[in-house]
PDB file of all heavy atoms in Angstrom:
ATOM      1  N   ASN W 108     116.098 145.006  78.456  1.00 98.00           N
ATOM      2  CA  ASN W 108     116.758 146.195  77.974  1.00 98.00           C
ATOM      3  C   ASN W 108     118.038 145.903  77.218  1.00 98.00           C
ATOM      4  O   ASN W 108     118.525 146.738  76.399  1.00 98.00           O
ATOM      5  CB  ASN W 108     117.116 147.131  79.164  1.00 98.00           C
ATOM      6  CG  ASN W 108     115.887 147.633  79.874  1.00 98.00           C
ATOM      7  OD1 ASN W 108     114.797 147.634  79.260  1.00 98.00           O
ATOM      8  ND2 ASN W 108     116.026 148.009  81.122  1.00 98.00           N
ATOM      9  N   ASN W 109     118.651 144.745  77.452  1.00 98.00           N
ATOM     10  CA  ASN W 109     119.896 144.425  76.789  1.00 98.00           C
ATOM     11  C   ASN W 109     119.745 143.365  75.720  1.00 98.00           C
ATOM     12  O   ASN W 109     120.703 142.785  75.270  1.00 98.00           O
ATOM     13  CB  ASN W 109     120.938 143.998  77.831  1.00 98.00           C
ATOM     14  CG  ASN W 109     121.354 145.205  78.686  1.00 98.00           C
ATOM     15  OD1 ASN W 109     122.034 146.106  78.192  1.00 98.00           O
ATOM     16  ND2 ASN W 109     120.903 145.198  79.933  1.00 98.00           N
ATOM     17  N   ASN W 110     118.465 143.153  75.312  1.00 98.00           N
ATOM     18  CA  ASN W 110     118.237 142.273  74.194  1.00 98.00           C
ATOM     19  C   ASN W 110     118.711 140.841  74.447  1.00 98.00           C
ATOM     20  O   ASN W 110     119.205 140.165  73.530  1.00 98.00           O
ATOM     21  CB  ASN W 110     118.956 142.912  72.968  1.00 98.00           C
ATOM     22  CG  ASN W 110     118.179 142.654  71.716  1.00 98.00           C
ATOM     23  OD1 ASN W 110     117.106 142.055  71.764  1.00 98.00           O
ATOM     24  ND2 ASN W 110     118.796 143.071  70.629  1.00 98.00           N
ATOM     25  N   ILE W 111     118.665 140.399  75.696  1.00 98.00           N
ATOM     26  CA  ILE W 111     119.091 139.048  76.058  1.00 98.00           C
ATOM     27  C   ILE W 111     117.795 138.241  76.147  1.00 98.00           C
ATOM     28  O   ILE W 111     116.873 138.619  76.927  1.00 98.00           O
ATOM     29  CB  ILE W 111     119.831 139.077  77.422  1.00 98.00           C
ATOM     30  CG1 ILE W 111     121.175 139.817  77.253  1.00 98.00           C
ATOM     31  CG2 ILE W 111     120.039 137.645  77.947  1.00 98.00           C
ATOM     32  CD1 ILE W 111     121.920 140.097  78.538  1.00 98.00           C
ATOM     33  N   PRO W 112     117.665 137.148  75.382  1.00 98.00           N
ATOM     34  CA  PRO W 112     116.388 136.429  75.364  1.00 98.00           C
ATOM     35  C   PRO W 112     116.038 135.780  76.691  1.00 98.00           C
ATOM     36  O   PRO W 112     116.821 135.002  77.229  1.00 98.00           O
ATOM     37  CB  PRO W 112     116.611 135.359  74.268  1.00 98.00           C
ATOM     38  CG  PRO W 112     118.080 135.206  74.129  1.00 98.00           C
ATOM     39  CD  PRO W 112     118.678 136.522  74.512  1.00 98.00           C
ATOM     40  N   SER W 113     114.911 136.156  77.244  1.00 98.00           N
ATOM     41  CA  SER W 113     114.384 135.496  78.418  1.00 98.00           C
ATOM     42  C   SER W 113     112.887 135.487  78.311  1.00 98.00           C
ATOM     43  O   SER W 113     112.313 136.324  77.607  1.00 98.00           O
ATOM     44  CB  SER W 113     114.896 136.170  79.707  1.00 98.00           C
ATOM     45  OG  SER W 113     113.994 136.985  80.259  1.00 98.00           O
ATOM     46  N   ALA W 114     112.189 134.517  78.917  1.00 98.00           N
ATOM     47  CA  ALA W 114     110.771 134.297  78.680  1.00 98.00           C
ATOM     48  C   ALA W 114     109.953 135.568  78.851  1.00 98.00           C
ATOM     49  O   ALA W 114     110.260 136.376  79.744  1.00 98.00           O
ATOM     50  CB  ALA W 114     110.256 133.208  79.607  1.00 98.00           C
ATOM     51  N   ASP W 115     108.891 135.732  78.059  1.00 98.00           N
ATOM     52  CA  ASP W 115     108.006 136.901  78.132  1.00 98.00           C
ATOM     53  C   ASP W 115     107.463 136.999  79.568  1.00 98.00           C
ATOM     54  O   ASP W 115     107.221 135.955  80.214  1.00 98.00           O
ATOM     55  CB  ASP W 115     106.819 136.779  77.169  1.00 98.00           C
ATOM     56  CG  ASP W 115     107.292 137.004  75.743  1.00 98.00           C
ATOM     57  OD1 ASP W 115     108.410 137.534  75.568  1.00 98.00           O
ATOM     58  OD2 ASP W 115     106.528 136.659  74.822  1.00 98.00           O
ATOM     59  N   PHE W 116     107.224 138.218  80.004  1.00 98.00           N
ATOM     60  CA  PHE W 116     106.836 138.342  81.419  1.00 98.00           C
ATOM     61  C   PHE W 116     105.945 139.538  81.671  1.00 98.00           C
ATOM     62  O   PHE W 116     105.883 140.475  80.846  1.00 98.00           O
ATOM     63  CB  PHE W 116     108.074 138.451  82.300  1.00 98.00           C
ATOM     64  CG  PHE W 116     108.881 139.669  82.096  1.00 98.00           C
ATOM     65  CD1 PHE W 116     108.829 140.743  82.995  1.00 98.00           C
ATOM     66  CD2 PHE W 116     109.741 139.766  81.016  1.00 98.00           C
ATOM     67  CE1 PHE W 116     109.594 141.891  82.806  1.00 98.00           C
ATOM     68  CE2 PHE W 116     110.502 140.915  80.812  1.00 98.00           C
ATOM     69  CZ  PHE W 116     110.435 141.981  81.705  1.00 98.00           C
ATOM     70  N   GLN W 117     105.319 139.535  82.822  1.00 98.00           N
ATOM     71  CA  GLN W 117     104.572 140.669  83.326  1.00 98.00           C
ATOM     72  C   GLN W 117     105.042 140.904  84.752  1.00 98.00           C
ATOM     73  O   GLN W 117     105.298 139.927  85.478  1.00 98.00           O
ATOM     74  CB  GLN W 117     103.051 140.401  83.329  1.00 98.00           C
ATOM     75  CG  GLN W 117     102.239 141.653  83.727  1.00 98.00           C
ATOM     76  CD  GLN W 117     100.874 141.320  84.308  1.00 98.00           C
ATOM     77  OE1 GLN W 117     100.386 140.216  84.256  1.00 98.00           O
ATOM     78  NE2 GLN W 117     100.239 142.338  84.867  1.00 98.00           N
ATOM     79  N   ILE W 118     105.146 142.183  85.109  1.00 98.00           N
ATOM     80  CA  ILE W 118     105.496 142.485  86.524  1.00 98.00           C
ATOM     81  C   ILE W 118     104.252 142.846  87.272  1.00 98.00           C
ATOM     82  O   ILE W 118     103.445 143.601  86.781  1.00 98.00           O
ATOM     83  CB  ILE W 118     106.497 143.652  86.565  1.00 98.00           C
ATOM     84  CG1 ILE W 118     107.846 143.206  86.016  1.00 98.00           C
ATOM     85  CG2 ILE W 118     106.630 144.227  87.967  1.00 98.00           C
ATOM     86  CD1 ILE W 118     108.768 144.308  85.661  1.00 98.00           C
ATOM     87  N   ILE W 119     104.067 142.227  88.444  1.00 98.00           N
ATOM     88  CA  ILE W 119     102.897 142.608  89.247  1.00 98.00           C
ATOM     89  C   ILE W 119     103.372 143.015  90.637  1.00 98.00           C
ATOM     90  O   ILE W 119     104.333 142.493  91.165  1.00 98.00           O
ATOM     91  CB  ILE W 119     101.853 141.485  89.357  1.00 98.00           C
ATOM     92  CG1 ILE W 119     102.426 140.215  89.999  1.00 98.00           C
ATOM     93  CG2 ILE W 119     101.209 141.134  88.011  1.00 98.00           C
ATOM     94  CD1 ILE W 119     101.391 139.220  90.494  1.00 98.00           C
ATOM     95  N   GLN W 120     102.659 143.999  91.197  1.00 97.00           N
ATOM     96  CA  GLN W 120     102.935 144.381  92.589  1.00 97.00           C
ATOM     97  C   GLN W 120     102.019 143.614  93.537  1.00 97.00           C
ATOM     98  O   GLN W 120     102.370 143.386  94.684  1.00 97.00           O
ATOM     99  CB  GLN W 120     102.725 145.898  92.796  1.00 97.00           C
ATOM    100  CG  GLN W 120     103.672 146.774  91.951  1.00 97.00           C
ATOM    101  CD  GLN W 120     105.157 146.468  92.240  1.00 97.00           C
ATOM    102  OE1 GLN W 120     105.531 146.141  93.338  1.00 97.00           O
ATOM    103  NE2 GLN W 120     105.965 146.546  91.163  1.00 97.00           N
ATOM    104  N   ASN W 121     100.847 143.191  93.037  1.00 96.00           N
ATOM    105  CA  ASN W 121      99.929 142.395  93.810  1.00 96.00           C
ATOM    106  C   ASN W 121      99.039 141.621  92.869  1.00 96.00           C
ATOM    107  O   ASN W 121      99.061 141.839  91.640  1.00 96.00           O
ATOM    108  CB  ASN W 121      99.109 143.254  94.767  1.00 96.00           C
ATOM    109  CG  ASN W 121      98.316 144.303  94.025  1.00 96.00           C
ATOM    110  OD1 ASN W 121      97.596 143.989  93.105  1.00 96.00           O
ATOM    111  ND2 ASN W 121      98.520 145.539  94.398  1.00 96.00           N
ATOM    112  N   LYS W 122      98.237 140.730  93.432  1.00 95.00           N
ATOM    113  CA  LYS W 122      97.414 139.786  92.659  1.00 95.00           C
ATOM    114  C   LYS W 122      96.490 140.493  91.634  1.00 95.00           C
ATOM    115  O   LYS W 122      96.288 139.996  90.523  1.00 95.00           O
ATOM    116  CB  LYS W 122      96.440 139.065  93.629  1.00 95.00           C
ATOM    117  CG  LYS W 122      96.979 137.839  94.287  1.00 95.00           C
ATOM    118  CD  LYS W 122      95.834 137.246  95.103  1.00 95.00           C
ATOM    119  CE  LYS W 122      96.241 135.972  95.793  1.00 95.00           C
ATOM    120  NZ  LYS W 122      95.149 135.358  96.495  1.00 95.00           N
ATOM    121  N   SER W 123      95.969 141.654  92.058  1.00 95.00           N
ATOM    122  CA  SER W 123      94.920 142.291  91.232  1.00 95.00           C
ATOM    123  C   SER W 123      95.452 142.741  89.886  1.00 95.00           C
ATOM    124  O   SER W 123      94.709 142.946  88.930  1.00 95.00           O
ATOM    125  CB  SER W 123      94.342 143.477  91.976  1.00 95.00           C
ATOM    126  OG  SER W 123      95.319 144.514  92.013  1.00 95.00           O
ATOM    127  N   GLU W 124      96.749 142.848  89.773  1.00 97.00           N
ATOM    128  CA  GLU W 124      97.326 143.348  88.496  1.00 97.00           C
ATOM    129  C   GLU W 124      97.558 142.248  87.458  1.00 97.00           C
ATOM    130  O   GLU W 124      97.891 142.516  86.320  1.00 97.00           O
ATOM    131  CB  GLU W 124      98.676 144.040  88.772  1.00 97.00           C
ATOM    132  CG  GLU W 124      98.567 145.294  89.576  1.00 97.00           C
ATOM    133  CD  GLU W 124      99.918 145.940  89.898  1.00 97.00           C
ATOM    134  OE1 GLU W 124     100.942 145.460  89.368  1.00 97.00           O
ATOM    135  OE2 GLU W 124      99.942 146.864  90.736  1.00 97.00           O
TER     136      GLU W 124
END
Side-chain angles (χ1 to χ4, degrees):
N108 295 339
N109 291 291
N110 215 2
I111 294 172
S113 101
D115 287 346
F116 66 102
Q117 186 204 349
I118 289 164
I119 60 164
Q120 297 303 326
N121 58 54
K122 274 184 178 184
S123 71
E124 294 177 9

